[in-house]
Amino acid sequence: MIPKTDILEVGVAVGRGTGPELADVFVKVLNQLARHFSVQVKVYQSSRIYHSYHSLFSAGYDLQHIRDETALDATHYEDFCRKQAAQGTNVIFRTAFTAQSLYLVRQHLEAVKVEHFHKQSAEILLIRDQAQGFYTGSNTYSLDALAVSRSCQFDKAIFNRIVTYSLSRARRCWGENTKIDSLTLVYKHHLFDGIFDVWAREWSQEHGLSIQFIQPDTMNRNILAFGVQGHQLIIAGNEYADIMEVLFLDMFGQGVQETSYSENVYLSPPTSELVEYQTVHGSADDLTGKGIVNPSATLKAAAAILERHGRCKGVESNMNNAIETMAQQKNCTPDQGGTSTTAAYVSAILHHLANLYSQPTSLSLARRPSPIPTTPETLTPNPHLPTLGLKTALLIIDFQQDFAASINASSPSLPTITNNISRLLSHIRTAQTQALPSPSPNPTSTSPSIKDIEPIHIRFLSPPSHHPTPWTTRSARPANCVPGTPGAAFIPPIAPLPTERVFDKHALFDPFLLPAFEPHLRARGVRHLLLAGLYGDVCVDATARSGFQKGFWISVVKGCVGNLRAGVAEWESFAEEVYGARMVSVEELGVGAGEGGRAKL
């Protein structure tokens, strides 16, 4: 939900352990990033610091004390959520606190957790039912406290709200025109006398699609046998989904729990669609006060709140890229193999983003739709030059030492390629740091300035740990670009600036296989890819092929590509015919020809 004003109101709930440290990080990052978008932040923090599981035992193992404190936490946090919703605050950030209190609140306010797993064309939208089942309910003890029973219930009315919300969320996620053929509910439904299946038939008739329950073990067998195909919408009991989350994160290459946040949505009418973002990791009580807790999940949650609730376009992608850049530089907290403190890591992230937002070419500063029309007719006024006016990225692909010696004889020489790429890159950088005059007196010209081209460096790395079996059994080629070796380094003087994005491919030809690559392009509005680097018939071709299939316009910079086996002229002709690629020279891009920074794209 998007606020109607430039004020972003956020509730903050803090648990013990490292919660206060992370809450301070959240508020600091939220405020500093919001300033780049002229958004004012108002924070409403809960007056209670909620227990972690560890802190409940700090006063001894008195079960009644634990029950009382758990009930107090649950009552207080539920009241806090209701008050935030009543005053119009639609988003809360929460650090970790004890699960028993949380699930009492989730039961009363009918919570679902929304998790979106995606990789290439396969997607799972998983709606985790946190309002029902074993995770909710209450405990009953025997008189001697030697036995405990836990009772819970399932409610058709709650299921109705979850099903309706799930279908609505899927349309928001995949587009209103995306046909949703089926909805699968993963529960141990065989234990309930068939009533779940009766309800499913009613929902199928009501919503006009196949809705069915399936056993958790059957769901897993299907995934193992058939994989994930297309868009899959799943509602799952938390008993199953809690276990599967870490496996789905790994399966889809979306990181680990320790650096992730999650989104919970409350569906009960008084708090309808109040959204809560939480760190997935625990309270980390053992790190309290040491200043080394990993804040990555908190940073990602702050970015998500700014983008989704504060209209700060592109900040999620920029935050993910900043975190990935820090990881590549080994700038991380000890749990991730680094030596940085929490404060130093956060400062480095904010400094990186401040540099990004200080650049006039950063598209992420745009909070509202551009007043300039962006219809295909406006963007493509000349059918012979279809890329006129499109946001462009220069992809410098695998220009590394280990690949230099294998350029074939049909290619330009390595010094020629290096000189051409260097001239082009230097021209773009110069244009971005000083105002270059436009050669055209026509202020409505749709031809983009050279300064609007974003350089992106793509680096091939081949650690043996990432080699699949077919890779190791192919022809006896030496291991190229092993991390830490001179061969993995960029060929001088083509090296990225600190503000330029670098994507590392671990034993991959195609950068579109990297989870963050395409979202980076989309977030910046890039529609045209300008390709240079090594080798034209391997990784440059793989990039062109995927880019073309994903709807990007493709151009190749002549004199800036070297091939491994295929003749350059033959490959260029192939790319023109199959990918619709245009061949463009560095001179046509305004280099050394008095073009005044105006590219003929």
Side-chain angles (χ1 to χ4, degrees):
M1 298 176 67
I2 297 176
K4 295 181 180 179
T5 70
D6 293 333
I7 298 175
L8 173 62
E9 297 182 332
V10 182
V12 175
V14 185
R16 299 195 189 187
T18 55
E21 300 169 57
L22 292 174
D24 288 345
V25 167
F26 173 79
V27 173
K28 176 180 179 178
V29 171
L30 196 73
N31 276 294
Q32 290 203 22
L33 293 183
R35 292 191 192 107
H36 294 295
F37 299 87
S38 301
V39 172
Q40 179 185 350
V41 175
K42 287 188 176 180
V43 172
Y44 304 98
Q45 184 163 323
S46 173
S47 60
R48 182 177 176 88
I49 304 297
Y50 303 97
H51 277 289
S52 66
Y53 187 72
H54 174 80
S55 71
L56 280 173
F57 292 97
S58 61
Y61 290 85
D62 182 341
L63 291 181
Q64 189 57 50
H65 169 75
I66 291 174
R67 291 176 204 158
D68 291 344
E69 289 296 306
T70 297
L72 284 172
D73 275 353
T75 301
H76 192 281
Y77 185 55
E78 181 178 340
D79 184 59
F80 177 72
C81 290
R82 291 182 183 276
K83 286 180 178 177
Q84 294 305 303
Q87 73 179 22
T89 303
N90 58 22
V91 61
I92 291 172
F93 170 75
R94 177 183 60 73
T95 68
F97 47 92
T98 183
Q100 191 171 355
S101 299
L102 284 175
Y103 276 98
L104 287 171
V105 177
R106 288 169 174 172
Q107 177 184 359
H108 295 162
L109 301 184
E110 300 175 12
V112 294
K113 181 175 289 187
V114 181
E115 297 182 293
H116 185 201
F117 304 99
H118 51 89
K119 186 175 184 180
Q120 296 177 293
S121 60
E123 296 189 41
I124 291 177
L125 182 60
L126 176 62
I127 308 297
R128 291 172 56 172
D129 177 1
Q130 300 181 112
Q132 308 177 99
F134 182 78
Y135 281 48
T136 62
S138 57
N139 298 330
T140 303
Y141 291 86
S142 63
L143 292 176
D144 56 7
L146 296 179
V148 58
S149 63
R150 186 166 182 82
S151 61
C152 59
Q153 72 174 28
F154 292 90
D155 188 310
K156 185 183 179 185
I158 294 175
F159 265 129
N160 286 341
R161 282 191 278 275
I162 294 174
V163 168
T164 300
Y165 174 78
S166 299
L167 292 170
S168 172
R169 184 62 182 255
R171 294 186 182 99
R172 283 163 50 191
C173 180
W174 296 328
E176 290 292 336
N177 296 325
T178 299
K179 185 179 180 182
I180 301 171
D181 295 315
S182 64
L183 167 59
T184 304
L185 295 98
V186 187
Y187 291 79
K188 199 71 177 174
H189 65 106
H190 287 181
L191 301 177
F192 296 94
D193 307 315
I195 189 63
F196 282 14
D197 297 286
V198 172
W199 294 346
R201 286 195 292 271
E202 295 177 10
W203 296 327
S204 295
Q205 293 178 355
E206 178 184 351
H207 294 283
L209 72 156
S210 172
I211 298 178
Q212 63 174 342
F213 282 89
I214 190 172
Q215 294 281 100
D217 58 328
T218 304
M219 185 71 195
N220 285 351
R221 287 199 302 271
N222 289 346
I223 291 174
L224 290 174
F226 307 111
V228 178
Q229 305 293 329
H231 299 97
Q232 292 198 10
L233 176 58
I234 300 172
I235 298 172
N238 220 29
E239 297 81 4
Y240 170 79
D242 201 23
I243 296 170
M244 293 304 296
E245 178 188 36
V246 65
L247 299 179
F248 284 148
L249 284 171
D250 181 70
M251 179 188 300
F252 287 87
Q254 291 181 209
V256 294
Q257 284 183 314
E258 289 76 11
T259 59
S260 301
Y261 71 90
S262 61
E263 175 190 356
N264 304 298
V265 181
Y266 293 111
L267 302 181
S268 68
T271 55
S272 182
E273 295 202 30
L274 174 68
V275 183
E276 172 201 85
Y277 292 83
Q278 67 169 93
T279 54
V280 174
H281 60 73
S283 54
D285 295 73
D286 57 319
L287 299 180
T288 302
K290 295 182 180 180
I292 56 172
V293 63
N294 185 347
S296 298
T298 299
L299 298 175
K300 292 177 182 178
I305 288 171
L306 284 168
E307 176 143 347
R308 302 176 192 181
H309 301 268
R311 296 190 297 172
C312 300
K313 184 179 178 182
V315 70
E316 277 192 272
S317 174
N318 289 337
M319 178 63 77
N320 289 335
N321 292 340
I323 290 172
E324 188 174 330
T325 298
M326 294 301 116
Q328 292 172 358
Q329 297 173 356
K330 305 299 182 185
N331 183 355
C332 47
T333 48
D335 64 300
Q336 299 294 305
T339 58
S340 296
T341 63
T342 305
Y345 180 78
V346 171
S347 294
I349 290 285
L350 290 174
H351 179 72
H352 178 93
L353 293 172
N355 285 339
L356 175 67
Y357 290 130
S358 68
Q359 297 181 40
T361 56
S362 174
L363 291 181
S364 297
L365 295 178
R367 297 184 57 242
R368 297 176 177 83
S370 168
I372 301 174
T374 56
T375 62
E377 291 75 20
T378 301
L379 290 173
T380 58
N382 186 337
H384 302 292
L385 293 175
T387 58
L388 273 175
L390 298 186
K391 174 65 178 178
T392 297
L394 169 65
L395 306 185
I396 304 172
I397 300 168
D398 301 351
F399 204 65
Q400 296 163 259
Q401 297 282 11
D402 270 350
F403 296 132
S406 300
I407 298 173
N408 68 20
S410 74
S411 306
S413 67
L414 180 64
T416 297
I417 297 173
T418 303
N419 181 56
N420 285 337
I421 295 178
S422 179
R423 290 166 59 214
L424 176 57
L425 196 54
S426 176
H427 192 59
I428 293 171
R429 290 168 175 170
T430 300
Q432 291 176 346
T433 56
Q434 65 186 45
L436 294 180
S438 170
S440 171
N442 179 9
T444 62
S445 171
T446 57
S447 183
S449 171
I450 194 78
K451 70 181 178 62
D452 294 322
I453 298 176
E454 179 188 1
I456 297 175
H457 303 260
I458 298 170
R459 176 167 50 196
F460 180 89
L461 296 175
S462 187
S465 60
H466 284 70
H467 290 177
T469 301
W471 192 283
T472 60
T473 57
R474 64 180 183 164
S475 60
R477 291 180 54 81
N480 289 318
C481 302
V482 176
T485 65
F490 292 107
I491 298 172
I494 313 302
L497 298 178
T499 55
E500 292 173 351
R501 192 71 174 88
V502 178
F503 285 94
D504 286 338
K505 304 176 300 177
H506 289 90
L508 296 172
F509 295 153
D510 184 356
F512 280 97
L513 295 176
L514 300 173
F517 181 68
E518 185 178 355
H520 176 88
L521 299 177
R522 301 291 186 193
R524 282 152 176 75
V526 171
R527 295 179 60 193
H528 174 217
L529 304 180
L530 198 59
L531 306 183
L534 306 175
Y535 298 110
D537 50 346
V538 187
C539 293
V540 177
D541 185 84
T543 306
R545 181 173 305 191
S546 288
F548 172 72
Q549 293 178 99
K550 290 177 177 291
F552 293 92
W553 295 92
I554 306 297
S555 293
V556 176
V557 189
K558 291 181 68 68
C560 292
V561 174
N563 278 17
L564 179 65
R565 292 285 183 267
V568 168
E570 179 185 6
W571 176 77
E572 288 177 348
S573 177
F574 173 83
E576 286 180 314
E577 179 181 348
V578 178
Y579 312 138
R582 293 180 59 246
M583 302 299 137
V584 58
S585 68
V586 292
E587 287 74 25
E588 289 177 289
L589 293 170
V591 178
E595 290 292 329
R598 186 64 63 181
K600 294 182 179 179
L601 298 179

CSV table of all heavy atoms in Angstrom, one decimal, residues 383-419:
chain,number,residue,atom,x,y,z
A,383,PRO,N,12.1,3.7,-37.3
A,383,PRO,CA,12.1,2.2,-37.4
A,383,PRO,C,13.5,1.6,-37.7
A,383,PRO,O,13.8,0.5,-37.5
A,383,PRO,CB,11.1,1.9,-38.4
A,383,PRO,CG,11.0,3.1,-39.3
A,383,PRO,CD,11.3,4.3,-38.3
A,384,HIS,N,14.4,2.5,-38.3
A,384,HIS,CA,15.7,2.0,-38.7
A,384,HIS,C,16.7,2.1,-37.5
A,384,HIS,O,17.8,1.5,-37.6
A,384,HIS,CB,16.2,2.7,-39.9
A,384,HIS,CG,15.3,2.6,-41.1
A,384,HIS,ND1,15.1,1.4,-41.8
A,384,HIS,CD2,14.5,3.5,-41.7
A,384,HIS,CE1,14.3,1.6,-42.8
A,384,HIS,NE2,13.9,2.9,-42.8
A,385,LEU,N,16.3,2.9,-36.5
A,385,LEU,CA,17.2,3.0,-35.3
A,385,LEU,C,16.3,2.8,-34.1
A,385,LEU,O,16.0,3.7,-33.4
A,385,LEU,CB,17.8,4.4,-35.3
A,385,LEU,CG,18.9,4.7,-36.4
A,385,LEU,CD1,19.3,6.2,-36.2
A,385,LEU,CD2,20.1,3.8,-36.2
A,386,PRO,N,15.9,1.5,-33.9
A,386,PRO,CA,14.9,1.3,-32.8
A,386,PRO,C,15.3,1.5,-31.4
A,386,PRO,O,14.5,1.6,-30.5
A,386,PRO,CB,14.5,-0.2,-33.0
A,386,PRO,CG,15.8,-0.8,-33.7
A,386,PRO,CD,16.3,0.3,-34.5
A,387,THR,N,16.7,1.7,-31.2
A,387,THR,CA,17.1,1.9,-29.8
A,387,THR,C,17.3,3.4,-29.5
A,387,THR,O,17.7,3.7,-28.4
A,387,THR,CB,18.5,1.2,-29.7
A,387,THR,OG1,19.4,1.7,-30.6
A,387,THR,CG2,18.4,-0.3,-29.8
A,388,LEU,N,16.9,4.3,-30.4
A,388,LEU,CA,16.9,5.7,-30.1
A,388,LEU,C,16.1,6.0,-28.8
A,388,LEU,O,15.0,5.6,-28.7
A,388,LEU,CB,16.4,6.5,-31.2
A,388,LEU,CG,17.3,6.9,-32.3
A,388,LEU,CD1,16.6,7.6,-33.4
A,388,LEU,CD2,18.4,7.8,-31.8
A,389,GLY,N,16.8,6.7,-27.9
A,389,GLY,CA,16.1,7.2,-26.7
A,389,GLY,C,15.9,6.1,-25.6
A,389,GLY,O,15.4,6.5,-24.5
A,390,LEU,N,16.4,4.9,-25.8
A,390,LEU,CA,16.3,3.9,-24.7
A,390,LEU,C,17.4,4.0,-23.7
A,390,LEU,O,18.6,4.2,-24.1
A,390,LEU,CB,16.3,2.5,-25.4
A,390,LEU,CG,15.1,2.2,-26.3
A,390,LEU,CD1,15.2,0.7,-26.7
A,390,LEU,CD2,13.8,2.5,-25.7
A,391,LYS,N,17.1,3.8,-22.5
A,391,LYS,CA,18.1,3.7,-21.5
A,391,LYS,C,19.1,2.5,-21.8
A,391,LYS,O,18.6,1.4,-22.1
A,391,LYS,CB,17.5,3.5,-20.1
A,391,LYS,CG,18.5,3.2,-19.0
A,391,LYS,CD,19.4,4.5,-18.7
A,391,LYS,CE,20.3,4.2,-17.5
A,391,LYS,NZ,21.2,5.3,-17.3
A,392,THR,N,20.4,2.8,-21.8
A,392,THR,CA,21.4,1.8,-22.3
A,392,THR,C,22.4,1.4,-21.2
A,392,THR,O,22.8,2.3,-20.4
A,392,THR,CB,22.1,2.4,-23.5
A,392,THR,OG1,21.2,2.7,-24.5
A,392,THR,CG2,23.2,1.5,-24.0
A,393,ALA,N,22.8,0.2,-21.2
A,393,ALA,CA,23.9,-0.3,-20.3
A,393,ALA,C,25.0,-0.8,-21.2
A,393,ALA,O,24.7,-1.6,-22.2
A,393,ALA,CB,23.4,-1.4,-19.4
A,394,LEU,N,26.2,-0.4,-20.9
A,394,LEU,CA,27.4,-1.0,-21.6
A,394,LEU,C,27.9,-2.2,-20.8
A,394,LEU,O,28.3,-2.0,-19.6
A,394,LEU,CB,28.5,0.1,-21.7
A,394,LEU,CG,29.9,-0.5,-22.2
A,394,LEU,CD1,29.8,-1.0,-23.6
A,394,LEU,CD2,30.9,0.6,-22.0
A,395,LEU,N,27.8,-3.4,-21.3
A,395,LEU,CA,28.2,-4.6,-20.6
A,395,LEU,C,29.6,-4.9,-21.1
A,395,LEU,O,29.8,-5.3,-22.3
A,395,LEU,CB,27.3,-5.7,-20.9
A,395,LEU,CG,25.8,-5.5,-20.6
A,395,LEU,CD1,25.0,-6.8,-20.7
A,395,LEU,CD2,25.6,-4.9,-19.2
A,396,ILE,N,30.6,-4.8,-20.2
A,396,ILE,CA,32.0,-5.2,-20.5
A,396,ILE,C,32.2,-6.6,-20.0
A,396,ILE,O,32.3,-6.8,-18.8
A,396,ILE,CB,33.0,-4.2,-20.0
A,396,ILE,CG1,32.7,-2.8,-20.5
A,396,ILE,CG2,34.4,-4.6,-20.3
A,396,ILE,CD1,33.5,-1.7,-19.8
A,397,ILE,N,32.2,-7.6,-20.9
A,397,ILE,CA,32.1,-9.0,-20.5
A,397,ILE,C,33.4,-9.7,-20.5
A,397,ILE,O,34.1,-9.8,-21.5
A,397,ILE,CB,31.1,-9.7,-21.4
A,397,ILE,CG1,29.7,-9.0,-21.4
A,397,ILE,CG2,31.0,-11.2,-21.1
A,397,ILE,CD1,28.8,-9.4,-22.5
A,398,ASP,N,33.8,-10.2,-19.3
A,398,ASP,CA,34.9,-11.1,-19.1
A,398,ASP,C,36.2,-10.6,-19.7
A,398,ASP,O,37.0,-11.4,-20.3
A,398,ASP,CB,34.6,-12.5,-19.8
A,398,ASP,CG,33.4,-13.2,-19.2
A,398,ASP,OD1,32.9,-12.6,-18.2
A,398,ASP,OD2,32.9,-14.2,-19.7
A,399,PHE,N,36.5,-9.3,-19.6
A,399,PHE,CA,37.7,-8.7,-20.2
A,399,PHE,C,38.8,-8.9,-19.1
A,399,PHE,O,39.2,-8.0,-18.4
A,399,PHE,CB,37.5,-7.3,-20.5
A,399,PHE,CG,38.5,-6.8,-21.6
A,399,PHE,CD1,38.4,-7.3,-22.8
A,399,PHE,CD2,39.4,-5.8,-21.3
A,399,PHE,CE1,39.3,-6.8,-23.8
A,399,PHE,CE2,40.3,-5.4,-22.2
A,399,PHE,CZ,40.2,-5.9,-23.5
A,400,GLN,N,39.3,-10.2,-19.1
A,400,GLN,CA,40.2,-10.6,-18.0
A,400,GLN,C,41.5,-11.3,-18.6
A,400,GLN,O,41.5,-11.8,-19.7
A,400,GLN,CB,39.5,-11.6,-17.1
A,400,GLN,CG,38.3,-11.0,-16.4
A,400,GLN,CD,37.4,-12.1,-15.8
A,400,GLN,OE1,36.3,-12.3,-16.4
A,400,GLN,NE2,37.8,-12.7,-14.7
A,401,GLN,N,42.5,-11.3,-17.8
A,401,GLN,CA,43.9,-11.7,-18.2
A,401,GLN,C,43.9,-13.1,-18.8
A,401,GLN,O,44.5,-13.4,-19.8
A,401,GLN,CB,44.8,-11.6,-17.1
A,401,GLN,CG,45.0,-10.2,-16.5
A,401,GLN,CD,46.0,-9.4,-17.4
A,401,GLN,OE1,46.3,-9.8,-18.5
A,401,GLN,NE2,46.4,-8.2,-16.9
A,402,ASP,N,43.2,-14.1,-18.2
A,402,ASP,CA,43.3,-15.5,-18.7
A,402,ASP,C,42.7,-15.7,-20.1
A,402,ASP,O,43.1,-16.6,-20.7
A,402,ASP,CB,42.6,-16.4,-17.7
A,402,ASP,CG,43.5,-16.9,-16.6
A,402,ASP,OD1,44.7,-16.7,-16.7
A,402,ASP,OD2,43.0,-17.5,-15.6
A,403,PHE,N,41.8,-14.8,-20.5
A,403,PHE,CA,41.2,-14.9,-21.8
A,403,PHE,C,42.0,-14.2,-22.9
A,403,PHE,O,41.7,-14.4,-24.1
A,403,PHE,CB,39.8,-14.4,-21.7
A,403,PHE,CG,38.9,-15.2,-20.8
A,403,PHE,CD1,38.1,-14.5,-19.9
A,403,PHE,CD2,38.9,-16.6,-20.8
A,403,PHE,CE1,37.2,-15.2,-19.1
A,403,PHE,CE2,38.0,-17.3,-20.0
A,403,PHE,CZ,37.2,-16.6,-19.1
A,404,ALA,N,43.0,-13.4,-22.5
A,404,ALA,CA,43.6,-12.5,-23.5
A,404,ALA,C,44.4,-13.3,-24.6
A,404,ALA,O,44.4,-13.0,-25.8
A,404,ALA,CB,44.6,-11.6,-22.8
A,405,ALA,N,45.0,-14.4,-24.1
A,405,ALA,CA,45.9,-15.2,-25.0
A,405,ALA,C,45.2,-16.0,-26.1
A,405,ALA,O,45.8,-16.4,-27.1
A,405,ALA,CB,46.8,-16.1,-24.2
A,406,SER,N,43.9,-16.2,-25.9
A,406,SER,CA,43.2,-17.2,-26.8
A,406,SER,C,42.3,-16.5,-27.8
A,406,SER,O,41.5,-17.1,-28.5
A,406,SER,CB,42.3,-18.1,-25.9
A,406,SER,OG,43.1,-18.8,-25.0
A,407,ILE,N,42.4,-15.2,-28.0
A,407,ILE,CA,41.7,-14.5,-29.0
A,407,ILE,C,42.1,-14.9,-30.4
A,407,ILE,O,43.3,-15.0,-30.7
A,407,ILE,CB,41.9,-12.9,-28.9
A,407,ILE,CG1,41.4,-12.4,-27.5
A,407,ILE,CG2,41.1,-12.2,-30.0
A,407,ILE,CD1,41.7,-11.0,-27.2
A,408,ASN,N,41.2,-15.3,-31.2
A,408,ASN,CA,41.6,-15.9,-32.5
A,408,ASN,C,42.0,-14.8,-33.5
A,408,ASN,O,41.8,-13.6,-33.3
A,408,ASN,CB,40.5,-16.8,-33.1
A,408,ASN,CG,39.3,-16.0,-33.5
A,408,ASN,OD1,39.3,-14.8,-33.8
A,408,ASN,ND2,38.1,-16.7,-33.7
A,409,ALA,N,42.6,-15.3,-34.7
A,409,ALA,CA,43.2,-14.4,-35.6
A,409,ALA,C,42.2,-13.5,-36.4
A,409,ALA,O,42.5,-12.4,-36.9
A,409,ALA,CB,44.0,-15.2,-36.7
A,410,SER,N,40.9,-13.9,-36.4
A,410,SER,CA,39.9,-13.1,-37.1
A,410,SER,C,39.5,-11.9,-36.3
A,410,SER,O,38.8,-11.0,-36.8
A,410,SER,CB,38.6,-13.9,-37.4
A,410,SER,OG,37.9,-14.1,-36.2
A,411,SER,N,39.9,-11.8,-35.0
A,411,SER,CA,39.5,-10.8,-34.1
A,411,SER,C,40.5,-9.6,-34.2
A,411,SER,O,41.6,-9.7,-34.7
A,411,SER,CB,39.5,-11.2,-32.7
A,411,SER,OG,38.7,-12.4,-32.5
A,412,PRO,N,40.0,-8.4,-33.8
A,412,PRO,CA,41.0,-7.3,-33.7
A,412,PRO,C,42.0,-7.7,-32.7
A,412,PRO,O,41.8,-8.6,-31.8
A,412,PRO,CB,40.1,-6.1,-33.2
A,412,PRO,CG,38.7,-6.5,-33.5
A,412,PRO,CD,38.6,-8.0,-33.5
A,413,SER,N,43.2,-7.1,-32.7
A,413,SER,CA,44.2,-7.4,-31.8
A,413,SER,C,43.8,-7.0,-30.4
A,413,SER,O,43.0,-6.1,-30.2
A,413,SER,CB,45.5,-6.7,-32.1
A,413,SER,OG,45.4,-5.3,-32.0
A,414,LEU,N,44.4,-7.7,-29.4
A,414,LEU,CA,44.1,-7.3,-28.0
A,414,LEU,C,44.4,-5.8,-27.7
A,414,LEU,O,43.5,-5.2,-27.1
A,414,LEU,CB,44.9,-8.2,-27.0
A,414,LEU,CG,44.6,-7.9,-25.5
A,414,LEU,CD1,43.2,-8.2,-25.2
A,414,LEU,CD2,45.6,-8.7,-24.6
A,415,PRO,N,45.5,-5.2,-28.2
A,415,PRO,CA,45.7,-3.8,-27.9
A,415,PRO,C,44.6,-2.9,-28.6
A,415,PRO,O,44.2,-1.9,-28.0
A,415,PRO,CB,47.1,-3.5,-28.6
A,415,PRO,CG,47.8,-4.8,-28.5
A,415,PRO,CD,46.7,-5.9,-28.7
A,416,THR,N,44.1,-3.4,-29.8
A,416,THR,CA,43.1,-2.6,-30.4
A,416,THR,C,41.8,-2.7,-29.6
A,416,THR,O,41.1,-1.7,-29.4
A,416,THR,CB,42.8,-3.1,-31.8
A,416,THR,OG1,44.0,-3.0,-32.6
A,416,THR,CG2,41.7,-2.4,-32.5
A,417,ILE,N,41.4,-3.9,-29.2
A,417,ILE,CA,40.2,-4.0,-28.4
A,417,ILE,C,40.3,-3.2,-27.1
A,417,ILE,O,39.4,-2.5,-26.7
A,417,ILE,CB,39.9,-5.5,-28.1
A,417,ILE,CG1,39.7,-6.3,-29.4
A,417,ILE,CG2,38.7,-5.7,-27.1
A,417,ILE,CD1,39.6,-7.8,-29.2
A,418,THR,N,41.5,-3.4,-26.4
A,418,THR,CA,41.7,-2.7,-25.2
A,418,THR,C,41.6,-1.2,-25.3
A,418,THR,O,40.9,-0.5,-24.6
A,418,THR,CB,43.1,-3.0,-24.6
A,418,THR,OG1,43.2,-4.4,-24.4
A,418,THR,CG2,43.3,-2.3,-23.2
A,419,ASN,N,42.2,-0.7,-26.4
A,419,ASN,CA,42.2,0.8,-26.7
A,419,ASN,C,40.8,1.3,-26.9
A,419,ASN,O,40.3,2.3,-26.4
A,419,ASN,CB,43.1,1.1,-27.8
A,419,ASN,CG,43.1,2.6,-28.1
A,419,ASN,OD1,43.5,3.4,-27.3
A,419,ASN,ND2,42.8,3.0,-29.4
